[in-house]
């Protein structure tokens, strides 16, 4: 079900006992997320890169709840089309509750496959609301990616997408296992739809 904006949707969802999740997707590449490096004065630090033989990456999607739950999946291909539908099916299978999913205006969130799923019998427990365009500051799930890239995986280089997927799985599981960390992503006053 699609409907009103996040603020109105949240009010209705709370009254009807929905689980409220914020959702986003990201990609990781084998090249390091350089955050901070050190070297002797006058010597530029260098991170050695492996020949990746073309563009390699892994795609991640996560959904977080203010009560500290994190649901995520990692794929070799994008979450467009059937990829996002498969993710939504797994998210629904993870709980018996109805879900309000607040996400951005990515084209695959409005694709024919996604809309057909939302109208289907299986998708009836899922209600989506969209944040305004170009407003990542309204989505606390963005802080999952910030923590992943700047805290857990900075300055790390891997040889290929297979190693990257293993590293991403371990890091995302670390975040998932820290309920207090996930709750902290909702503390910023910028995320006014969560209060």
């Amino acid at each position: 079900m699609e409907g009103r904006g996040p603020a109105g949707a949240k009010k209705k969802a709370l009254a009807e006992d929905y689980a409220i999740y914020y959702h986003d997707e990201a990609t990781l590449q084998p090249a390091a997320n350089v955050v901070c490096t050190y070297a002797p004065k006058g010597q530029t630090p260098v991170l050695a890169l492996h020949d990746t033989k073309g563009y390699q990456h892994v795609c991640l999607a996560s959904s977080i709840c203010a009560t500290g739950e994190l649901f995520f999946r990692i794929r070799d291909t994008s979450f467009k089309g059937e990829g996002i539908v498969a993710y939504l099916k797994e998210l629904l299978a993870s709980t018996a509750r109805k879900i309000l999913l607040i996400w951005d205006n990515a084209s695959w969130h409005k694709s024919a496959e996604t809309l057909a799923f939302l109208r289907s019998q299986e998708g009836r427990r899922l209600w989506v609301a969209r944040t305004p365009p170009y407003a990542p500051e309204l989505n606390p799930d963005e802080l999952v990616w910030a923590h992943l890239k700047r805290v857990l995986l900075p300055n790390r280089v891997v040889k290929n997408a297979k190693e990257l997927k293993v590293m991403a799985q371990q890091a995302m599981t670390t975040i998932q296992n820290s309920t207090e960390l996930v709750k902290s992503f909702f503390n910023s006053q910028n995320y006014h739809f969560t209060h």
Side-chain angles (χ1 to χ4, degrees):
M1 169 172 59
E2 284 199 88
R4 59 194 85 179
K10 182 177 183 243
K11 184 177 179 182
K12 177 176 169 36
L14 287 171
E16 297 182 15
D17 193 37
Y18 278 71
I20 302 172
Y21 284 89
Y22 284 77
H23 173 87
D24 199 33
E25 298 97 9
T27 59
L28 285 177
Q29 299 175 20
N33 296 304
V34 179
V35 175
C36 185
T37 60
Y38 297 94
K41 187 175 181 178
Q43 295 181 24
T44 302
V46 176
L47 289 173
L49 295 177
H50 299 276
D51 180 8
T52 59
K53 296 185 176 119
Y55 181 68
Q56 295 187 40
H57 65 282
V58 293
C59 299
L60 301 95
S62 70
S63 303
I64 63 172
C65 188
T67 54
E69 288 87 21
L70 165 68
F71 181 86
F72 75 94
R73 289 294 181 259
I74 300 174
R75 294 169 50 98
D76 298 323
T77 58
S78 78
F79 283 90
K80 295 178 182 177
E82 289 303 317
I84 196 64
V85 171
Y87 177 90
L88 295 174
K89 288 178 180 181
E90 291 182 47
L91 176 63
L92 283 168
S94 73
T95 180
R97 295 177 71 192
K98 295 181 287 185
I99 295 174
L100 166 61
L101 190 70
I102 300 171
W103 59 10
D104 61 24
N105 287 279
S107 59
W108 52 92
H109 296 168
K110 301 177 275 190
S111 71
E113 296 95 335
T114 304
L115 295 177
F117 174 71
L118 293 173
R119 288 187 215 105
S120 73
Q121 182 69 26
E122 188 178 4
R124 287 182 60 195
R125 284 193 302 119
L126 183 64
W127 181 20
V128 299
R130 300 184 197 290
T131 58
Y134 310 108
E137 71 279 3
L138 299 179
N139 188 346
D141 196 40
E142 294 280 354
L143 294 178
V144 170
W145 311 133
H147 190 81
L148 179 71
K149 294 177 180 182
R150 296 180 107 358
V151 177
L152 297 178
L153 302 179
N155 304 333
R156 295 211 185 166
V157 178
V158 295
K159 293 179 183 174
N160 53 45
K162 183 178 178 181
E163 283 185 16
L164 182 62
K165 192 172 185 179
V166 170
M167 189 172 66
Q169 179 73 37
Q170 292 169 343
M172 289 297 289
T173 300
T174 297
I175 298 171
Q176 184 181 51
N177 290 338
S178 180
T179 301
E180 292 307 312
L181 174 63
V182 175
K183 285 181 181 179
S184 77
F185 297 153
F186 289 83
N187 290 344
S188 170
Q189 293 303 310
N190 288 334
Y191 302 119
H192 56 86
F193 291 140
T194 66
H195 301 299

